[in-house]
Amino acid sequence: MTTKMLDMFKRPDDPPEYYHLYGIPAGTAFALYSVGSMSGKFPELDTAASTLAGLLCIGGIAGLASQNTARLGAVSGQAGVALGVASTLGHLSPSIGTTAGIGALMGVGALAGHRIGHAVEPTSLPQTVAAFHSLVGLAASAAAVGDYLNTPDTTQLDGVHLASIYLATVIGSLTFTGSLVAFGKLDGRLPSAPLNLSSRDQINMGLGAATLGAGTFPEINWICKHNSLEF
Amino acid sequence: MYPPPLPATPPPPPAKKEAPKDIVVDHKAPYISGAKQSGYVAASILGMGAIAPDAAFSSMLTTFCLSNIIGVQVVMGVSHALHSPLMAVTNAISGTTALGGMHLFAHSTGPFVTALAAVATTLSTVNIVGE
């Protein structure tokens, strides 16, 4: 969809572009990483690949700061995300069944994303971005909740892990609902005036306190377990 | 005589001149506020280092701070026309939550967790490919 938006800026006298030539170094990097990872002789290759993926993503965002590097930025971002996915798969080294499962899930997601991205009109791109962003918020909080449920003994989690689970759940859920509201307002389904309930301050403060309070439950559990207190 | 002469109008009153107000420029204020802010930032980062439990926390703190700086620098000064494509690309990059979903899928110990991991992976891939 990014390329769709950037194509709106194309002028008829623009010089021809050969961005597919960037596929050669990208493919080479993939091939080198796959061979090196599967040979098993390079234990730190996964970290290097993820660093490269991070650099490509940052370069992608930086490229979109100006018009003449915008398309290069889009290509770089795509390469970065793809390499990130590949490096995680290499690091996990999942079994055949798990790999097939992951492949099927990503295939379904890719198909849905491709269909929606193609069907969207250029004038409704901002609200589509907002709708997509709500999905990623839901995904983040689902992953965090799943991580918490997956640990057999949650009192063994250290503070950093607990804090990251809490933050991911809160920020992910906030993103999910907030982006859905943004989508509604951008699309015209919701009125664009802010919802001015008379007790909105108290409602917001109450919800904020409840969010902070809910985060203390695992901490209290942890503190009690580690100090041998029983609830 | 035609036309008759106009009656004598009194001359317009002179415009009231206010004494120009002296604009007081406090040259010291931005330096003082800048020094205060730098002090807060330095103290907070050193404080995080003091309460850090292990090396993993310190390296994560470094990554976090550096990525904050990179993000601010990289996105500052983007032209208005490129705001929507920039949002689309950052949305695609935030599909990296698929990595968390894949990790959870590979290490899951129950059907509910597998379902959550599947949801996370699929929705994040929608983001990656859709943008």
Side-chain angles (χ1 to χ4, degrees), chain A residues 43-206:
Chain A
E44 297 299 325
L45 199 61
D46 302 318
T47 316
S50 53
T51 307
L52 179 60
L55 284 175
L56 285 170
C57 290
I58 293 172
I61 302 179
L64 275 165
S66 78
Q67 279 285 0
N68 46 0
T69 52
R71 234 169 284 273
L72 180 58
V75 165
S76 177
Q78 288 167 352
V81 175
L83 188 59
V85 168
S87 80
T88 307
L89 281 176
H91 179 72
L92 286 175
S93 290
S95 59
I96 296 288
T98 316
T99 317
I102 292 177
L105 289 170
M106 295 189 76
V108 167
L111 196 65
H114 189 78
R115 299 288 286 278
I116 301 175
H118 249 284
V120 96
E121 301 152 23
T123 47
S124 56
L125 284 166
Q127 46 263 49
T128 317
V129 169
F132 276 147
H133 198 65
S134 67
L135 298 179
V136 105
L138 185 61
S141 41
V145 169
D147 192 20
Y148 184 77
L149 292 174
N150 202 28
T151 49
D153 185 5
T154 52
T155 53
Q156 296 299 324
L157 289 173
D158 61 310
V160 171
H161 202 162
L162 274 175
S164 69
I165 289 176
Y166 171 69
L167 283 174
T169 315
V170 167
I171 297 176
S173 321
L174 197 70
T175 308
F176 174 54
T177 45
S179 290
L180 279 180
V181 171
F183 165 70
K185 292 202 174 181
L186 281 170
D187 212 22
R189 294 166 199 245
L190 292 174
S192 50
L195 183 67
N196 268 329
L197 299 172
S198 53
S199 57
R200 61 183 181 278
D201 288 330
Q202 283 90 321
I203 294 177
N204 283 337
M205 282 197 291

Side-chain angles (χ1 to χ4, degrees), chain B residues 73-100:
Chain B
Q73 286 299 320
V74 151
V75 180
M76 193 89 77
V78 173
S79 61
H80 272 266
L82 284 171
H83 278 179
S84 283
L86 181 64
M87 262 200 331
V89 162
T90 45
N91 223 355
I93 292 175
S94 71
T96 328
T97 44
L99 309 186

Side-chain angles (χ1 to χ4, degrees), chain B residues 19-61:
Chain B
K21 289 206 191 80
D22 288 330
I23 304 170
V24 178
V25 174
D26 187 6
H27 288 281
K28 243 204 241 177
Y31 294 98
I32 293 181
S33 74
K36 272 198 217 162
Q37 280 174 357
S38 342
Y40 295 149
V41 168
S44 60
I45 294 185
L46 286 177
M48 298 285 275
I51 63 169
D54 51 12
F57 182 84
S58 307
S59 86
M60 273 199 289
L61 178 67

